Structures are given as C-alpha cells and as structure tokens.
Amino acid sequence: MKELYVNVDHIATLREARKTFEPSPLALVKLLEDTAVAGITTHLREDRRHIQDYDIYELSQYLGNSRLGFAFEMAASKDIRAIALRTSADICTIVPENRNEVTTEGGLDVIAQAEYLKEFIKPILDSGKKVSFFIEPALDQIVMAQSVGANYIEIHTGRFTNLHKFHSLRTSDVERDAAANLLKIEYEHIKQAVIYARGHHLKVNMGHGLTLDNLPDIAKIDNVDQYHIGHSIISTALIHGIKNASAEFINTLNKVAQEA
Ligand code: PXP
C-alpha cells in the first residue's frame, strides 16, 4: 500500500506570519483521523520558523493515541534529538538544515558524516524509533545509509519536481527537449535508487515538491512505502476550502444584519 504522510509545517508557517493561534496544526491533524491518510510529518527546525516546541508537544500527545503515524523531521542536532526522544514519533527523518534556505535544499551527505551519524542515531534506534535519511537518489549515499544503520531512506525528489515544473514552463521546442532529457535522467536515477535501496534492505520513502501534476509519474515507481507531502497539499486545501470559508463569514455578517 502506498502511504500518504501529510506534512503540516506550512499550517504553522501561516500561523507564525501573524504570531497568533490559527491555523492550528493539531486542529487540522484531527480532521485527518478518519481519512485514508496514513500519517503526519513535521519538521522542528532549529530556527523554529514554523513548527514550535508546543506544536510538537501537542502533536506528540495526540498522535501517541491515534491510528496516524508520526514522522519527525530533524537536523542531526543533539538538542533536537533530545526533543525527538520525548515524542511519540515512530520515525525520525534526518535532514540537512541551513538557516538561509527557503526549504530543505539537497539531501543529507551521509558519506561525509558517516561516523557522526552512526553515533547520532544510536539513541534513536535504542528508543525503538525508526531512522530515515533524506538523501539524493545517489547509490553511494544509499550504501552508506545502510552501513550507518538507517532503516529507511527518503529520496529527495526536489530535482525531479523542479525539472518537471521547468519542463512544463518551457516555451521553445529546444528548451522543452533539453528539460525532457534531464527529467528522464533524473527519473531513472530515482527508479534505480529505489531498486538499489531495496536490495540493501532499506525501506524507501519519497518527498519534496510533490504536486498533483508530478505525483502520477513518481507513484508509478514500485516498492515505495511513504510519500511525505506538505506545501502542495496545504495549497490545495486552501483552494478547496475558500468557498466554504467565505460562506461562513457571509452567514455571520447576514445573521448580524437580520438581528439588527
Ligand atoms: N520530506 C522532507 C524530508 C522535507 O524536508 C520536506 C520539506 O519540509 C518534505 C518532505 C515535504 O516537501 P513539500 O512541502 O515540498 O511537499
């Protein structure tokens, strides 16, 4: 079964834009309880730009008693690990983090930090949680992820999804052909990475930049467990919800007008 994990970070991004109480990630997570969504993903960044510590506390309490899985994305930082270990997360996904990035750019370099990562993930594994490394679809990184002790890899689909967008935006035939070739190459890299990781006894997840436009191609690749999708689901939810939300405000205005 292909499992969808909804990343709720951007619910907090919207809330933090006003430093207020809405929208609440927990309130939206509760709405997903009786859907086919398999789990919730969230990234407690070191700069706390969206999800806050109290979100993690609330989500952890709720998800600990829920059928929904809980994936906790984190930098390989000991402070964040201490928080992760106090949560009900089932899986900790180690991601690279850079203060100036707009979103997670590029995969984790497991080869460059192999010794550190091996020690770093030990307490997480000892606590019974699974560990995933967010990496590019590169075979040498996959071998190292296995030897360091990860249970999963999450393939960073960002290069593929950017090329997909670029391809659909190109106007000239030459540009379109060039983009199509690069897209095909990246798609093959992802397919090979999945086969290779499976051969190394790793489970495989995917994420980054997935949308309703590019997901059909990615979903054709077999042997993927989880899809971690955030920005485009939250964007789609806004499109689907705007009519109902406006109607509720109009009803309130009309009710007051009738009572006056
Ligand atoms: N997976 C990982 C490891 C991520 O860092 C992110 C971005 O926070 C996602 C998935 C979701 O990406 P997007 O918001 O583009 O769907």
Side-chain angles (χ1 to χ4, degrees), residues 7 9 73 95 103-104 134 154 207-209 228-231:
N7 181 315
D9 294 347
E73 290 179 9
V95 305
T103 178
T104 317
F134 186 49
E154 179 175 335
H208 213 281
H228 293 258
I229 309 181
H231 189 263

Side-chain angles (χ1 to χ4, degrees), residues 205-220:
N205 299 334
M206 299 235 190
H208 213 281
L210 294 171
T211 65
L212 290 171
D213 281 340
N214 57 40
L215 187 59
D217 285 335
I218 289 292
K220 280 186 196 126

Side-chain angles (χ1 to χ4, degrees), residues 12-69:
T13 300
L14 192 53
R15 180 195 63 205
E16 292 304 305
R18 279 287 178 92
K19 298 277 178 216
T20 180
F21 299 106
E22 64 171 1
S24 145
L26 178 63
L28 275 96
V29 164
K30 286 181 178 172
L31 296 175
L32 297 175
E33 188 70 60
D34 57 356
T35 67
V37 165
I40 300 303
T41 307
T42 191
H43 183 175
L44 183 68
R45 291 184 62 100
E46 290 181 284
D47 61 14
R48 306 297 199 273
R49 71 169 67 155
H50 38 54
I51 291 291
Q52 304 296 309
D53 294 57
Y54 71 85
D55 290 312
I56 295 299
Y57 177 74
E58 285 180 355
L59 289 169
S60 175
Q61 277 219 320
Y62 179 79
L63 292 169
N65 297 303
S66 153
R67 64 155 198 94
L68 292 162

Side-chain angles (χ1 to χ4, degrees), residues 196-250:
Y196 199 68
R198 285 283 170 176
H200 284 76
H201 312 291
L202 289 161
K203 291 192 165 187
V204 182
N205 299 334
M206 299 235 190
H208 213 281
L210 294 171
T211 65
L212 290 171
D213 281 340
N214 57 40
L215 187 59
D217 285 335
I218 289 292
K220 280 186 196 126
I221 302 172
D222 289 332
N223 292 316
V224 174
D225 289 290
Q226 302 166 357
Y227 300 82
H228 293 258
I229 309 181
H231 189 263
S232 194
I233 291 187
I234 303 306
S235 306
T236 306
L238 292 176
I239 301 287
H240 286 214
I242 190 73
K243 285 191 184 176
N244 283 342
S246 304
E248 281 191 44
F249 279 82
I250 290 167

